[in-house]
Structures are given as C-alpha cells and as structure tokens.
Amino acid sequence: TLLPPNRKLLTLAQRPLHLYETDGSGEQDQDEADSGTKKKKKRPRSKKTLSPRILLLWRFEEMVKEKYDLYLRQYMAQTLHDGVEQQKIATLQSAANLLSSVPEGESKLLTMMVNKLGDPDKKTASAAGHQLRNVLQQHPNMQIVIAREVQQLAHRPHLSPRALYNCIVFLNQLQFKRSEKNQDSGEQNTFDGQSATQSPSLPASLIKTYFGLFEVAVQQHSSQSSSKKRKSSSSDEAGTMKSRLLSALLTGVNRAHPYLPEKDQDMEEHVDALYRIVHTATPGACTQALMLLFHLAVGLHMEKDQEDDDHGLDQEDD
C-alpha cells in the first residue's frame, strides 16, 4: 500500500491554511495620495509561503482519503455483509493487513472485523478471530482496544448464543503478562486519536464482563427451564450451546483472575451475585456458580500461601 505507515491522511480542513492568507510577496509599496504628497504603505509579511505544488499535494491527499474511506464503506463492508464465504475470508485477511500496516481507517477496520465474530457462518467467524489474533501478534499494544471492542459486541442485546460464545472464546485466548498485575492505572494506549486508560486493568474488566454475562446466561437458562419444555433437536442444540458458554465463561475467569492487580481484587459484588444465582437458578447453573465461587476462594488462598512462601524464602536468603 502507498498510504503513509506512520500517520493518518489529512483533509484540507485539517491543514493550517489560516497561516497562508497573505500572498507572501514581502513588503510592497503602495502609492497613496495624502495632501498632494505620496506616502508608502507597507503590507505585512506572511509567516510562511505556500506554493501551488504543496496545495495540489494537499488536495490530492484529501482525495485519496475520501476514496479510501469510500473503499472501506462500500466495498469491504458490503463484501463482509453480502459476500459468499470465500469472499468474506479474503476480505478479512485484507482488512487485517491494512489494520496492521497503516493507521488510516483503523477504527472502521477493527469494527468490521470484530462484527464478523458474530457471523452465522462458522468458517467466517473463525477467520475473523484468527485475523484479529494475527493483528495482536504484530501489535500487542492494541490488545486493550481490541478487547474493549469485543466486549462491546458481547454486550449487544439480542446477540445469538453462538456469536456470544465466539466473543468469549476470543477473549479467553488473550495473553497476559505478569507485569500487568502491578501496572499503574495511569498508563495509556492511543488508538484512532483517542486515549485508552487502563483503569480498571484489562483482567479486571474481563472478569467483570464474564460475571455479567454469566449472570445473564443463567437467568435466561432458568427462565427457559420454567416455561414449557419442548423436546426437539433445536432445543437440545440451544442447551448444548448454553453449557459451552458457561464453561467458556468459567475458563475466562480462571485465566484472568491470577493477573488481577491489587487495586482490582475486590470481588465482593460478583460473589454476592453468584450466591443469588446459587439460590435461584437450576441445578446445572448452580453447579457452575459454585465452581466459580470455589475458584475465587481457592485462588485467593493459594496466592496468599505463595506470597508467604516467597517471603519466607527471602528471609532465608537474608
């Protein structure tokens, strides 16, 4: 691609044209009749001079920006929406290459790719997750922004269970670092001109999302169980998907909890919600909730024991 790899394209409205309002010809004399005598009036010198070539280049850049935006909206977005399976997969690969190489249109590209996690076609949804992981391998600093976009998709109303499951599976596969446990909340990442402050931390944000989706899934499951049961293949498939979704949520909590910073380890509000689920939900959902409670209790206990062991080893070394 010929687009600049280190900056976004600019329009003429974003250029400092107000600095070039004068012609820049310097001091010019102007005859002025005043009481029969001639006086010289000096014009102010402009701060900069703007050549027609530069102005043409700026206008050309604006036209390239408009055409590229049109390409994203009318070709790529339309292909991902109405194309066949192979076209969608190829377009996802092109979108990932553009997102990794140039900053222009990165917000639109990311939104299009994340939305395909909810595609009804399994191969297309799988390709979207694969391409997003490829982007993260090349640009690890985009992890917070991509995770936030996927979380927004997961919280959409009337999202299909399979699309929600794809979102949770993608979030489960995010790689954390031990340094993130004590990361300051003031650290920022920028994307598309906006700063993303890591407060709360990414593991804490994911756990909050997992617990919220877990409670919603359990409530939906209990409401469906209380209604008339219909024995059919579709209902069995829906029940299987619900079970896989609850397991994926449990896996997400298991992976993110060890990386919680100290400032985000207050889980009381989630624990209370789990206890409410245990007392109101069906036996299968109660089992999942009890497993989460057990994980939280054992996880905190093991972390405290590990800290005590490390402290004892430090004293022995001294």
Side-chain angles (χ1 to χ4, degrees), residues 216-235:
V216 171
V218 170
Q219 290 175 355
Q220 292 177 353
H221 181 72
S222 60
S223 63
Q224 292 176 359
S225 298
S226 61
S227 61
K228 294 182 179 180
K229 298 181 179 179
R230 298 178 180 176
K231 295 182 180 180
S232 62
S233 59
S234 60
S235 63

Side-chain angles (χ1 to χ4, degrees), residues 18-304:
H18 63 280
L19 300 177
Y20 306 98
E21 292 178 351
T22 57
D23 58 3
S25 58
E27 296 182 356
Q28 296 182 354
D29 296 338
Q30 181 181 3
D31 295 338
E32 183 179 87
D34 185 9
S35 302
T37 62
K38 292 185 178 180
K39 296 183 179 180
K40 294 182 179 180
K41 183 179 179 180
K42 297 180 180 179
R43 293 183 179 178
R45 181 186 296 271
S46 64
K47 296 181 180 180
K48 299 179 181 179
T49 58
L50 180 62
S51 65
R53 179 177 178 273
I54 297 297
L55 189 60
L56 288 174
L57 289 175
W58 285 359
R59 173 54 185 159
F60 177 75
E61 181 174 338
E62 183 181 50
M63 295 173 64
V64 172
K65 182 180 180 68
E66 294 172 352
K67 294 297 183 181
Y68 183 70
D69 182 72
L70 191 66
Y71 166 75
L72 295 182
R73 289 187 291 106
Q74 291 193 357
Y75 176 74
M76 297 194 72
Q78 193 70 20
T79 303
L80 290 175
H81 186 267
D82 299 328
V84 297
E85 177 185 301
Q86 295 300 326
Q87 289 178 327
K88 291 181 179 180
I89 294 176
T91 304
L92 284 170
Q93 185 176 2
S94 300
N97 292 334
L98 291 173
L99 184 60
S100 302
S101 57
V102 295
E104 181 64 31
E106 55 189 3
S107 179
K108 294 184 179 66
L109 289 168
L110 179 59
T111 301
M112 288 189 296
M113 294 181 65
V114 170
N115 286 339
K116 286 293 102 181
L117 289 174
D119 195 272
D121 183 72
K122 295 181 180 180
K123 291 185 178 180
T124 302
S126 177
H130 175 69
Q131 295 300 334
L132 285 172
R133 285 187 287 271
N134 289 341
V135 173
L136 284 177
Q137 289 180 356
Q138 300 183 36
H139 302 282
N141 292 333
M142 295 180 63
Q143 181 170 258
I144 296 177
V145 180
I146 294 178
R148 181 182 301 172
E149 193 74 23
V150 177
Q151 286 175 290
Q152 292 177 357
L153 175 62
H155 284 293
R156 288 184 185 177
H158 310 296
L159 190 68
S160 66
R162 181 170 296 278
L164 181 58
Y165 177 76
N166 292 336
C167 293
I168 300 303
V169 169
F170 176 81
L171 294 175
N172 288 349
Q173 296 177 355
L174 295 178
Q175 300 295 324
F176 303 109
K177 296 181 181 179
R178 286 291 175 181
S179 59
E180 294 180 6
K181 289 185 64 176
N182 300 321
Q183 197 169 17
D184 294 335
S185 61
E187 184 173 347
Q188 295 183 348
N189 291 323
T190 58
F191 178 80
D192 201 21
Q194 299 177 354
S195 62
T197 305
Q198 194 175 11
S199 178
S201 63
L202 179 59
S205 176
L206 291 178
I207 286 181
K208 185 177 180 180
T209 298
Y210 294 146
F211 274 106
L213 295 175
F214 181 83
E215 188 171 0
V216 171
V218 170
Q219 290 175 355
Q220 292 177 353
H221 181 72
S222 60
S223 63
Q224 292 176 359
S225 298
S226 61
S227 61
K228 294 182 179 180
K229 298 181 179 179
R230 298 178 180 176
K231 295 182 180 180
S232 62
S233 59
S234 60
S235 63
D236 294 341
E237 183 179 356
T240 303
M241 180 55 64
K242 289 289 184 182
S243 178
R244 294 174 61 188
L245 177 60
L246 293 176
S247 299
L249 292 172
L250 175 62
T251 303
V253 175
N254 292 337
R255 291 200 69 256
H257 185 265
Y259 297 91
L260 275 179
E262 295 181 359
K263 65 183 182 66
D264 294 324
Q265 288 186 356
D266 186 12
M267 306 293 293
E268 293 182 358
E269 57 177 341
H270 305 308
V271 171
D272 293 340
L274 284 176
Y275 275 115
R276 290 196 301 269
I277 293 173
V278 168
H279 288 287
T280 58
T282 58
C286 290
T287 303
Q288 294 285 344
L290 288 172
M291 290 176 64
L292 283 176
L293 286 170
F294 176 77
H295 166 74
L296 291 177
V298 174
L300 291 175
H301 180 69
M302 292 180 61
E303 286 183 1
K304 290 181 180 179

